[in-house]
Structure formats: structure tokens, C-alpha cells
Amino acid sequence: MSGLCEGRVVVVTGAGRGLGRAHALAFAEQGARVVVNDLGVSLDGGGSSAGPAQAVVDEIRAAGGEAVAHGGDIATTEGAASLVRAAVEEFGALHTLVNNAGFLRDRTLVNLDEDDWDAVMRVHLKGHFLPLKHAASYWRAEAKAGREIAARVVNTSSGAGLLGSVGQGNYSAAKAGIVGLTLVAAAEMGRYGVQVNAIAPAARTRMTEGTFAETMAAPDDADAFDAMAPENVSPLVVWLGSAASEGVTGRVFEAEAGRITVMEGWRPGPASDKGSRWTPREAGEAALKLLARSRTPGVVYGTR
């Protein structure tokens, strides 16, 4: 039986470890040819190594799949452009882009340096934008040339971007920005046969194990379900990245353990229209009445 992604060419950024590695392996298992991008940096973005990406490529090839490593910095124009070129030159096409690369520099806002803000924004938000831009340019050209496109993009947001997370103002802002980018890309690129969705995963990775060490620990029993294994998130990513997800675009999914949730985001709630300008006192009174009728916001991570 052929896999769900047989014949597709898939790019996964940040695929040397954690969620990205799990995604790359899962796509390969379903028949995709995979470009494994990773700079091999430390948890805070320092250093670099070709080792993690090549190790995943070797693992895919050992299982009978096809993969190549890409070590370019996807938060630069040249790195992102070369990522798309690597897929097309090596495998002849690009069908799916999974934006996953990222790292953390956690601090409360009063202790957050400008460099820490910029670095996290760069890898997460710019590191989504540039690969998406260059992949979209490729798909647009393909569509204008008359070739049928069934392209997919899966972006990686976070619960921190949907609800906020204490000590992660830079990360939360970047992940919230990724949701906005996803919505715009889905609206703009649909005409070319491109679907764009986002996931907000929860899993045990280098980025989470320090913060959630107890709740994310692997079970002692080898036969027990490991709820926080990164591999639990990948099946949804593979489906979203396949032709089987036809018609699904501009959506955000939360994925954790065995649970998948469609996140519904901002929608208009209670409203009051005076028909003329409010005074500040009237506006305050109206706001309090509306708040009393509204849903309670989700709890910011770290405040429980």
C-alpha cells in the first residue's frame, strides 16, 4: 500500500531534533522525499553543526526513504531561497513546506534584552516568512505555467502564541504573529492551489523539557503511551501536508498526546452600539456590562 505522501517532496525546517525530526521521519514513512533543514544550533540559537540534520537523513535512508540535508539559515533570503532550490534541484519539485525551526531565550519582560527579542523574532517569525515567501513564489510560477498545484504549508505556532506565557514575551509574540501570517498566506495563496494551516503543538522537546520537566517526562513503562512524545503531533502534520487535506486552509489546530483541537481564535463577542460618540464614563459602563456577558479568557501559561 502506498503512503499518504507518496511522490510528494517535503521540506521541514528545524528537522534535526524534536518535533521537526519526528515530522521528517513521519513524512518519509508515508512515502515523501524529504529535505531536512537544520542549523544544528544550541537551545538559545548559538553555534552550528551539520550533525543533527545529517543524522535524520541517514535514519530516513536506512529505512529505505529518500532525503537530503540542508544547512542554510532560513531566516536569511539566500538561506530560504536555497532551501526551495534544494528541493527542486534534488527531487524535481516542492509540494509541502513545514515551518518548524526555532529556539528560546526566556526572560520576563523587564529582564528581556533587545537582542533576545530580535533573535527570537528572527528565527520564529522571519524564519517562517522567508521560506513561505520563496516557496509561494515557486508555486505561483508553477500555477502560471499551467501546472496543477496541490501545495501545502504547515506553520508552527504555540499555546504561548494563543494564550500567552509568563517569561516568554518574545516567543509568545512571535508565535501569535505566525497565526496572523498563516491567515494572510491562506487567503492570498489559495488561488494558486496552496493551502496554509498552523499547529500549536505540545510535546517533549529541548525547548520544553526544562520548563515542563515533570509533566513531560517519558513514562517508565516502555509499553505505556508516552503522551508527550513529539511523534504524537506528526500524524496531523503529515495529513495537513498531504493532498488528502484538500479544502482545509487558514485553520489552527492544537495537537497534544492523543488529542486534536480546532482552535477558533478571535470572534466578535458581545457588543453595544450607542449610535453616537460615548463619553469616557459611558464607554466604561458599557464595557463592564459587555465583559459580564463575555466568555472568560483562557489562562496565561505560568499563572496557574
Side-chain angles (χ1 to χ4, degrees), residues 237-300:
V237 175
V238 170
W239 181 79
L240 288 171
S242 75
S245 64
E246 176 65 30
V248 179
T249 192
R251 306 306 294 264
V252 179
F253 297 85
E254 193 173 66
E256 177 182 352
R259 184 176 69 250
I260 296 171
T261 305
V262 176
M263 306 303 286
E264 295 189 328
W266 293 103
R267 295 178 180 271
S272 181
D273 186 352
K274 180 183 176 183
S276 61
R277 184 179 300 154
W278 302 90
T279 68
R281 189 178 300 278
E282 287 173 335
E285 291 173 352
L288 290 173
K289 290 178 181 178
L290 294 173
L291 288 170
R293 293 162 45 201
S294 67
R295 296 175 61 182
T296 303
V299 179
V300 175

Side-chain angles (χ1 to χ4, degrees), residues 6 14 83 85 88 98 109 131 167 177 202 221-222 225 256 294 298:
E6 198 72 37
L83 180 63
R85 285 199 305 271
V88 176
V98 179
L109 290 173
D221 184 352
F225 175 51
E256 177 182 352
S294 67

Side-chain angles (χ1 to χ4, degrees), residues 99-150:
N99 283 316
N100 170 77
F103 55 74
L104 296 176
R105 292 192 183 179
D106 292 352
R107 288 168 179 78
T108 57
L109 290 173
V110 295
N111 294 317
L112 186 63
D113 292 334
E114 186 176 352
D115 288 346
D116 296 326
W117 175 274
D118 290 344
V120 168
M121 285 292 172
R122 180 183 184 277
V123 68
H124 289 281
L125 198 48
K126 193 174 182 182
H128 270 63
F129 160 63
L130 286 175
L132 175 56
K133 171 184 170 65
H134 288 279
S137 295
Y138 165 76
W139 288 321
R140 181 179 63 179
E142 290 290 288
K144 287 185 175 181
R147 287 182 275 275
E148 185 176 350
I149 305 297

